[in-house]
Amino acid sequence: MAEMGWDEVTVLRKRQPKASQLKSQSAINAAQRSGVGVETTKKFSASQNKQHQVDKNTAVLDRETEELHHDKIDKSVAQLIQQGRQAKAMTQKDLATKINEKPQVVNDYEAGRAIPNQQVLNKIERTLGMKLRGKDKGRPLQPKGK
């Protein structure tokens, strides 16, 4: 320290300016006055919401006329389920309990609103003892034999 003159000042722990301070108008003006090169660039489509941008594909999708939907259970199968359940004097809740499904599932199958699930149909076939799939719908289910 003895070698330092009175004219020299040492600053310890000086903080670097933050990015927001470097971008301010006063910082830009100070840099221009001191002769430092300042580069400014215009960002393309900055501050625009990219979520609602219209593409070519949007028009193609709008012109698409094909309606996509899931297949529903056939009305004849729905009636067969209802008739088979009533023939065994069961309620929808009883049938649902026997096949380990919710009562709403049985209700949807009988109303024709359900999307066919082969596992559920198989459980209903075995419980009611009648075929619900294939060409011999409504016939008694053949027991598995040797």
Side-chain angles (χ1 to χ4, degrees):
M1 292 241 345
E3 298 154 5
M4 288 181 82
W6 287 99
D7 296 333
E8 295 180 27
V9 177
T10 304
V11 179
L12 300 175
R13 297 187 192 132
K14 184 174 181 182
R15 292 184 181 173
Q16 293 289 330
K18 294 182 181 177
S20 60
Q21 293 172 343
L22 291 175
K23 293 178 186 176
S24 69
Q25 190 63 38
S26 62
I28 293 171
N29 291 340
Q32 286 175 341
R33 278 193 301 272
S34 66
V36 177
V38 177
E39 181 182 344
T40 58
T41 56
K42 175 81 173 146
K43 290 185 179 179
F44 177 72
S45 69
S47 74
Q48 289 184 357
N49 192 352
K50 298 287 186 190
Q51 291 176 341
H52 303 292
Q53 188 175 7
V54 178
D55 289 339
K56 295 188 292 187
N57 295 338
T58 308
V60 173
L61 289 174
D62 286 341
R63 282 180 288 195
E64 184 67 42
T65 58
E66 182 181 357
E67 292 183 26
L68 303 173
H69 57 81
H70 292 288
D71 293 330
K72 302 286 185 204
I73 194 110
D74 192 31
K75 288 285 186 186
S76 62
V77 174
Q79 289 177 344
L80 286 172
I81 294 171
Q82 190 173 14
Q83 291 168 359
R85 177 181 58 80
Q86 289 172 347
K88 294 214 172 201
M90 297 169 70
T91 63
Q92 287 182 349
K93 186 175 181 181
D94 295 337
L95 178 59
T97 305
K98 286 196 180 222
I99 65 171
N100 293 328
E101 295 288 341
K102 294 180 180 176
Q104 184 63 41
V105 172
V106 174
N107 188 348
D108 287 343
Y109 271 87
E110 286 188 5
R113 293 187 303 259
I115 298 170
N117 183 341
Q118 298 304 316
Q119 291 176 332
V120 174
L121 283 172
N122 191 23
K123 288 193 252 182
I124 294 173
E125 280 180 342
R126 284 185 281 136
T127 304
L128 298 179
M130 87 168 50
K131 295 279 290 174
L132 299 174
R133 300 172 286 181
K135 55 188 170 187
D136 51 351
K137 292 180 187 174
R139 295 213 177 139
L141 192 63
Q142 299 295 326
K144 287 188 177 181
K146 293 183 180 178

